[in-house]
Amino acid sequence: MTKIVIVGGVAGGASAAARARRLSEDAEIIMFERGEFVSFANCGLPYHIGGDIKERSKLLLQTPESFLARFNVDVRTMNEVISINREEKSVTVRSMLDGSEYTENYDFLLISPGAAPVVPPIPGVDNPLTHSLRNIPDMDKILHTIEMNNVEHATVVGGGFIGLEMMEAFHQRGIKTTLLELADQVMTPVDKEMAGFAHAEIRSHGVDLRLSTALSAVEYVPEAHIASEDSGEDAAHQHIHGHLDLTLSNGDTLKTDILIMAVGVRPEIKLAQEAGLKIGELGGIWTNSSMQTSDPAIYAVGDAIEEADFVTGDATLVPLAGPANRQGRMAADNMLGRNETYQGTQGTAICKIFDLAVASTGKNEKQLKREGTNYEKVYVHTASHASYYPGAEIVSFKMLFDPQSGKIFGAQAVGKDGVDKRIDVMAVAQRASMTVEQLQHLELTYAPPYGSAKDVINQAAFVASNIMKGDATAIHFDEIENLSEDQVLLDVRNPGELENMGYIEGALNIPVDQLRNRMNELPKDKEIVIYCAVGLRGNVAYRQLVNNGYMARNLIGGFRTYKFAKA
């Protein structure tokens, strides 16, 4: 009989336990969780704080009792595994309730300890009004502070997924909110010009967004508050009244009633490290493609491990629930004699920012530049479904690819509708090793309420293929500032659009529909740099000019990409 011991009862651990039981009725399965809860929906925590998920109980997917009833798994909450003895194949466990210790033997051990929030060593950050969010007790503490401290202003540090979700949760509760982000953009999986759409959305909701700004000091100012006889407050709950005075990296100060630290997470590797397991160069637990650690009897999954990047094959840290769940299932397969290998992580992710969805898969431009990869990029901004059918929204889409082979490196999309399906299609295409050329041939559903006869993805593929075949010569938003004397900037939009939307200084304006008859106004000895709203009419103008012997380039993504990149 195989005995499997699992450390950590959330995504990876719980998936492994359930899968192991489905494969074997006689395996002995014990799952240890140092917290009070197992198999909870940690991705849903901010949505309960904001009020979208009304009932707290909905976050508890399984309880120790339900796990035992359905899967016959011995779930031991409030039990922390404090050490691993690899020679004896045993773990030492400490009860969080009475401090007693005992050992448990294993045939296979799975460690899924997750990643812990990073709290930088900022003076004064350790105080009753500062929180991070990882689990249900953290969520309860945040809700408690909101209730007890009459919170009118909240500050969130960090513009990643949790920071953005907490910003929206506070806004939804009618709490004035400041969001501080050290980088020059939120949502680092997408590139800055795509994050520009998110910045505009955040500010349009009245959130005080401060980019390139760090928190440098915190001062806790308690306020005298005496609980009245009939309020039923106990002494423990009286000290959290007060506010925080924050000092920012630019010298500004800020008064706030609650502070959320969401600057990122770090793999929990203490247990693995002390057991002498190999730690990777990025600081996560090293695993092979079977999810085994450097000890073949010990497997590791989830946010604590380094996995292979799907595009490059290099080690990467990707704290996402999808990979963790799949890794847990696979590790269970392999412990019970199967031979499954993990195929790499793309980092496919999406985030809701008020009415906007921001999503990405694969590599972004920042990473490709860092790695010195030769790449090309295209942008399209087109309707989420047929533009004449009510409710169509613009999908702004960016694709990165190899200009020689057409290999897809990554994709990013922002918009109010249809963003998830475009990035999901791209994630599948990338996993299937499709090329840009093949994307042109994707046959996607079309009816006016749902899509377009030429989908966003087809359109991006057409633009990319034009560039690869030499049917189009691209210029990008970041090159426009540095045009030379030998280039002329041509705006082919209608004059009304220039008034309403703005324009790039120094451009000539000849609307595309007048271009054939007014071409002689343009010099043939200079390169004409064309732009329109989104790049489509620019391409029409480009072909007219090139077919008539002019040198030209078209601004990919048009004025819309340029404007949001500069925002």
Side-chain angles (χ1 to χ4, degrees):
M1 187 175 80
T2 306
K3 181 172 177 182
I4 296 172
V5 169
I6 297 171
V7 181
V10 194
S15 293
R19 175 66 173 172
R21 175 57 72 223
R22 290 198 298 273
L23 292 179
S24 164
E25 193 51 43
D26 54 3
E28 185 184 353
I29 307 168
I30 305 173
M31 185 161 76
F32 291 104
E33 170 55 55
R34 66 179 169 206
E36 191 184 335
F37 304 97
V38 289
S39 191
F40 62 89
N42 44 8
C43 299
L45 303 176
Y47 296 105
H48 178 59
I49 294 170
D52 288 320
I53 298 170
K54 297 274 183 278
E55 294 164 49
R56 178 175 176 277
S57 60
K58 288 271 198 290
L59 299 169
L60 302 170
L61 308 176
Q62 294 278 356
T63 62
E65 296 74 29
S66 70
F67 238 114
L68 183 64
R70 182 168 296 179
F71 296 112
N72 190 22
V73 170
D74 177 0
V75 177
R76 303 183 194 175
T77 55
M78 305 304 284
N79 275 265
E80 181 174 22
V81 173
I82 53 171
S83 66
I84 301 168
N85 185 330
R86 287 163 55 192
E87 285 67 40
E88 289 175 19
K89 292 181 94 167
S90 70
V91 294
T92 304
V93 188
R94 179 187 295 145
S95 162
M96 307 292 277
L97 299 175
D98 62 10
S100 61
E101 294 182 9
Y102 62 98
T103 59
E104 196 70 60
N105 287 51
Y106 63 81
D107 293 315
F108 291 107
L109 176 66
L110 175 74
I111 45 183
S112 181
V118 174
V119 180
I122 296 166
V125 77
D126 192 7
N127 65 69
L129 301 180
T130 297
H131 301 276
S132 52
L133 180 61
R134 182 188 186 184
N135 51 35
I136 287 179
D138 292 343
M139 177 186 79
D140 293 341
K141 283 179 193 152
I142 291 169
L143 287 168
H144 182 75
T145 297
I146 292 171
E147 281 156 31
M148 301 299 293
N149 200 39
N150 185 22
V151 170
E152 290 175 7
H153 184 277
T155 301
V156 178
V157 180
F161 295 102
I162 293 172
L164 291 166
E165 287 161 3
M166 284 304 302
M167 165 201 78
E168 188 171 345
F170 285 130
H171 180 272
Q172 211 156 309
R173 294 183 72 114
I175 297 168
K176 283 197 174 66
T177 306
T178 295
L179 177 64
L180 304 176
E181 171 52 62
L182 178 60
D184 60 0
Q185 65 164 96
V186 300
M187 269 291 283
T188 47
V190 301
D191 292 310
K192 191 185 172 205
E193 73 280 11
M194 299 300 281
F197 297 100
H199 300 156
E201 180 77 3
I202 291 166
R203 291 186 168 123
S204 75
H205 281 79
V207 172
D208 172 24
L209 172 64
R210 306 198 190 187
L211 300 170
S212 306
T213 307
L215 176 63
S216 39
V218 182
E219 189 188 351
Y220 172 49
V221 184
E223 281 160 22
H225 170 80
I226 309 302
S228 59
E229 296 281 318
D230 56 354
S231 74
E233 272 184 50
D234 57 40
H237 292 150
Q238 292 179 25
H239 69 283
I240 67 158
H241 295 268
H243 72 266
L244 301 173
D245 289 328
L246 309 181
T247 306
L248 310 184
S249 55
N250 57 6
D252 289 354
T253 55
L254 200 60
K255 180 184 170 186
T256 198
D257 304 312
I258 186 169
L259 177 64
I260 305 292
M261 297 301 292
V263 297
V265 295
R266 187 176 289 134
E268 289 232 15
I269 58 170
K270 185 170 179 279
L271 189 65
Q273 218 167 10
E274 288 174 355
L277 296 175
K278 182 178 172 184
I279 304 300
E281 286 178 16
L282 301 175
I285 300 167
W286 178 90
T287 55
N288 65 15
S289 62
S290 302
M291 310 317 304
Q292 282 169 308
T293 65
S294 51
D295 180 331
I298 304 178
Y299 290 73
V301 300
D303 296 359
I305 70 160
E306 290 186 11
E307 59 236 82
D309 179 283
F310 179 77
V311 179
T312 63
D314 297 337
T316 184
L317 293 168
V318 184
L320 292 172
N325 277 285
R326 293 195 305 279
Q327 291 160 3
R329 174 190 167 94
M330 253 186 51
D333 279 0
N334 291 339
M335 289 183 211
L336 292 165
R338 299 198 174 186
N339 185 20
E340 298 287 330
T341 58
Y342 188 67
Q343 309 285 318
T345 299
Q346 291 162 281
T348 310
I350 191 166
C351 188
K352 177 184 180 297
I353 303 174
F354 298 109
D355 296 332
L356 213 58
V358 183
S360 63
T361 190
K363 294 296 207 190
N364 59 39
E365 193 172 350
K366 296 184 291 272
Q367 291 167 323
L368 293 172
K369 274 186 175 148
R370 255 202 316 274
E371 290 158 8
T373 304
N374 181 33
Y375 67 92
E376 181 54 272
K377 58 184 173 180
V378 294
Y379 302 88
V380 291
H381 306 276
T382 187
S384 55
H385 60 246
S387 51
Y388 55 80
Y389 185 90
E393 297 283 356
I394 292 178
V395 176
S396 292
F397 183 86
K398 175 178 185 177
M399 180 169 69
L400 297 150
F401 60 96
D402 182 322
Q404 266 67 55
S405 67
K407 177 182 176 175
I408 299 161
F409 289 139
Q412 302 164 31
V414 184
K416 295 186 177 180
D417 180 49
V419 163
D420 52 345
K421 75 173 177 182
R422 270 52 185 230
I423 292 301
D424 282 343
V425 169
M426 289 302 297
V428 174
Q430 184 180 55
R431 182 134 324 238
S433 303
M434 290 179 70
T435 62
V436 163
E437 201 275 328
Q438 290 169 315
L439 285 184
Q440 297 179 98
H441 304 288
L442 284 185
E443 193 174 323
L444 302 169
T445 55
Y446 164 55
Y450 301 109
S452 298
K454 288 187 289 198
D455 188 78
V456 177
I457 289 173
N458 297 129
Q459 299 224 31
F462 295 151
V463 177
S465 295
N466 281 343
I467 291 171
M468 288 176 68
K469 288 174 184 156
D471 292 339
T473 310
I475 191 166
H476 291 294
F477 69 88
D478 44 4
E479 301 170 76
I480 293 292
E481 308 287 87
N482 306 316
L483 296 183
S484 72
E485 296 289 306
D486 298 322
Q487 291 170 302
V488 174
L489 193 56
L490 174 66
D491 186 331
V492 296
R493 296 174 299 160
N494 296 322
E497 291 175 81
L498 278 69
E499 280 174 41
N500 296 334
M501 288 174 62
Y503 52 87
I504 303 173
E505 288 291 335
L508 290 173
N509 177 219
I510 303 177
V512 67
D513 295 336
Q514 299 174 20
L515 184 59
R516 268 195 189 82
N517 300 326
R518 294 178 57 185
M519 218 174 265
N520 57 355
E521 296 173 32
L522 297 170
K524 272 205 159 163
D525 59 346
K526 295 190 176 184
E527 183 178 69
I528 315 298
V529 174
I530 310 157
Y531 78 92
C532 65
V534 298
L536 201 58
R537 285 171 293 175
N539 185 53
V540 173
Y542 170 86
R543 292 308 312 167
Q544 279 184 37
L545 288 170
V546 168
N547 289 343
N548 280 286
Y550 285 81
M551 296 179 292
R553 288 165 84 188
N554 182 26
L555 177 62
I556 301 293
F559 185 70
R560 184 174 167 86
T561 296
Y562 176 85
K563 187 173 83 168
F564 279 96
K566 301 289 171 200

